[in-house]
């Protein structure tokens, strides 16, 4: 992944905390680390330089973290921020509220004493956000660019862990496509999936190529973690190809992956606009023993009848509701009702877009089955996934 995270600001009045953070950051990469001992000093530094990531203590004598946040909001600062909190400080709710009101990008809270693992997770999340922001200005690719990238094997599978919430173990990985440019930038699907989707042949080729890459890498993952499952995204137009379910079945067979270990995600919008062909494909996949999941639930308008009639085992609550559920009552209601609905229909419910501990705990209390989001891990290359280590999740034993 392109590394656009260079300069980091550490704001804390305790020199021992600044030292611990600095040491942890130095073991994670080669960053330009700048320190400030209070809010006043931090504000001066922010006026002088651009920081791609800021670690900021809330509780400081000479101008607090709130003053720093306010200053950043006034400057319309968009880069990620991590708050530092003393043990037991009930800051999370206030932080997400502040983030929303100030329109700041607060990744989460690092609890003192600061662990290297926590720092590493925040760094990955920050890099992912920065890469995304960078790509926003990148022009969309043409069909030709996408085709060339597929032919040159530059469209690759990344994996984001899904966490089973009772045990806090990784039970599944979702495959998310990434496109590597010639100068080794990593582009997000927004740059190439919509282009590919405008041409049925191209999205077909892209989907198959991502699945092939994902299954090869998944075999390596399974050697280490035999119980792990895999989830793939299917565009609506893929469902017009009635030979696709059989292709998927055969491809899984040749990669030693059981259909029962594979979930196919289809967006709620795709399901709602379903022509007969889509229903036929859904049934074919189901007969071949693949699991089916409704993605981005809450953004479409699936009826109870559809939920009943189609053989879906899983429902994924859209991240727009999960992201702000601690501060937005509407989102809270959507989440609570969706979990109830899923339970009543005997479906597994997955919440995506979990970005902090408060949301993770809230979902656990509601008995949500599975969670996914930057709080646990961003989408990772297979290499990063194999070595991933986070305080918030662990691999299943055996
Ligand atoms: P999706 O299936 O809803 O995937 C979840 C998206 O949420 C991913 O974006 C993921 O990086 C992002 N995400 C994960 N955790 C968090 C979080 O905590 N906060 C926030 N704000 N976002 C989070 P990504 O990778 O950019 O993918 C975007 C969409 O592109 C996917 O949405 C999916 O619809 C599509 N897509 C990705 N790969 C493929 C593919 O191979 N085939 C097809 N057809 N579509 C794909
Ligand atoms: Ca998905
Ligand atoms: Ca989704």
């Amino acid at each position: 992944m392109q590394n656009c995270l260079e300069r980091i600001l550490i704001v804390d009045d305790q020199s021992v905390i600044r030292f611990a953070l600095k040491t942890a950051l130095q073991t994670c990469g080669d960053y330009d680390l700048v320190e400030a001992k209070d809010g006043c000093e931090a504000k001066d530094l922010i006026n002088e330089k651009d920081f791609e990531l800021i670690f900021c203590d809330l509780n400081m004598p000479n101008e607090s973290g709130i003053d720093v946040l306010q200053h950043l909001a006034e400057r319309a600062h968009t880069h990620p921020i991590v708050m530092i909190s003393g043990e037991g400080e009930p800051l999370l709710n206030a932080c997400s509220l502040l983030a929303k009101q100030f329109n700041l990008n607060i990744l989460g809270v690092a609890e003192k004493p600061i662990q290297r693992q926590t720092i590493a997770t925040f760094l990955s999340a920050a890099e992912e956000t920065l890469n995304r922001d960078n790509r926003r200005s990148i022009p969309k690719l043409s069909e030709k660019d996408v085709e060339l990238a597929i032919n040159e094997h530059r469209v690759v599978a990344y994996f984001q862990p899904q966490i089973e919430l009772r045990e806090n173990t990784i039970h599944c990985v979702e495959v998310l496509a990434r496109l590597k440019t010639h100068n080794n930038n990593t582009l997000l699907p927004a740059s190439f999936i919509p282009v590919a989707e405008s041409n049925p042949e191209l999205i077909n080729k892209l989907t198959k190529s991502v699945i092939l890459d994902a299954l090869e890498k998944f075999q390596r993952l399974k050697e280490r973690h035999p119980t792990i499952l895999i989830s793939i995204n299917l565009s609506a137009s893929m469902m017009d190809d009635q030979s696709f379910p059989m292709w998927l079945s055969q491809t899984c067979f040749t990669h030693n992956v059981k259909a029962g270990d594979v979930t196919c995600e289809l967006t709620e919008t795709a399901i709602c606009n379903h022509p007969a062909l889509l229903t036929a494909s859904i049934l074919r996949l189901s007969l071949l023993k693949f699991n089916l999941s409704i993605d981005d639930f809450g953004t479409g308008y699936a009826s109870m009848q559809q939920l009943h009639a189609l053989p879906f085992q899983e429902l994924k609550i859209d991240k727009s509701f999960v992201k702000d559920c601690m501060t937005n009552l509407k989102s809270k209601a959507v989440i609570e009702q969706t979990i109830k609905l899923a339970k009543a229909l005997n479906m597994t419910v997955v919440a995506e877009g979990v970005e902090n501990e408060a949301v993770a705990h809230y979902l656990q209390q509601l008995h949500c089955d599975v969670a996914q989001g930057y709080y646990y891990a961003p989408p990772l290359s297979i290499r990063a996934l194999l070595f991933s280590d986070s305080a918030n999740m662990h691999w299943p034993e055996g």
Side-chain angles (χ1 to χ4, degrees), residues 174 265 295-296 316-319 352:
E174 178 177 358
E265 297 187 13
D295 203 356
D296 300 349
K316 290 186 86 173
I317 309 176
D318 188 61
K319 57 180 177 295
E352 63 176 20

Side-chain angles (χ1 to χ4, degrees), residues 143-306:
E143 285 187 26
K144 241 183 167 167
D145 295 331
V146 178
E147 174 134 41
L148 185 67
I150 301 170
N151 292 341
E152 294 179 348
H153 302 285
R154 285 185 287 110
V155 181
V156 298
Y158 267 43
F159 300 87
Q160 187 174 35
Q162 295 187 344
I163 284 65
E164 199 281 318
L165 282 173
R166 254 176 316 159
E167 308 276 339
N168 254 21
T169 50
I170 306 173
H171 95 124
C172 183
V173 286
E174 178 177 358
V175 177
L176 292 160
R178 295 290 181 266
L179 190 150
K180 301 280 179 183
T181 64
H182 281 130
N183 42 10
N184 209 25
N185 283 345
T186 309
L187 301 189
L188 291 177
S191 303
F192 58 94
I193 295 274
V195 189
E197 281 179 337
S198 63
N199 174 345
E201 255 171 54
L202 192 57
I203 189 68
N204 197 303
K205 189 167 169 176
L206 183 140
T207 306
K208 289 181 175 171
S209 150
V210 173
I211 292 173
L212 282 169
D213 186 47
L215 289 176
E216 263 161 42
K217 291 168 175 168
F218 183 64
Q219 279 180 307
R220 272 156 61 197
L221 188 63
K222 256 183 105 74
E223 279 168 21
R224 257 196 227 192
H225 308 288
T227 59
I228 201 82
L229 310 174
I230 188 167
S231 200
I232 56 176
N233 289 288
L234 298 180
S235 299
S237 56
M238 279 310 291
M239 306 304 268
D240 293 345
D241 175 2
Q242 293 298 305
S243 65
F244 175 73
M246 193 42 96
W247 177 89
L248 185 63
S249 177
Q250 280 161 354
T251 308
C252 287
F253 181 78
T254 54
H255 286 81
N256 259 322
V257 175
K258 283 194 296 229
D261 290 350
V262 180
T263 296
C264 299
E265 297 187 13
L266 267 164
T267 64
E268 190 187 22
T269 322
I271 296 157
C272 293
N273 304 329
H274 77 296
L277 279 181
L278 190 115
T279 310
S281 279
I282 288 174
L283 290 176
R284 283 183 212 278
L285 288 167
S286 185
L287 287 171
L288 290 165
K289 304 278 182 277
F290 290 105
N291 299 300
L292 294 164
S293 173
I294 307 184
D295 203 356
D296 300 349
F297 189 78
T299 59
Y301 46 92
S303 65
M304 284 300 274
Q305 199 193 4
Q306 282 170 316

Side-chain angles (χ1 to χ4, degrees), residues 311 335 353 394:
I335 291 190
H394 48 88

Side-chain angles (χ1 to χ4, degrees), residues 360-379:
H361 278 169
Y362 170 65
L363 291 167
Q364 237 161 356
Q365 276 167 9
L366 294 177
H367 302 292
C368 177
D369 303 301
V370 178
Q372 174 180 359
Y374 298 158
Y375 172 64
Y376 302 100

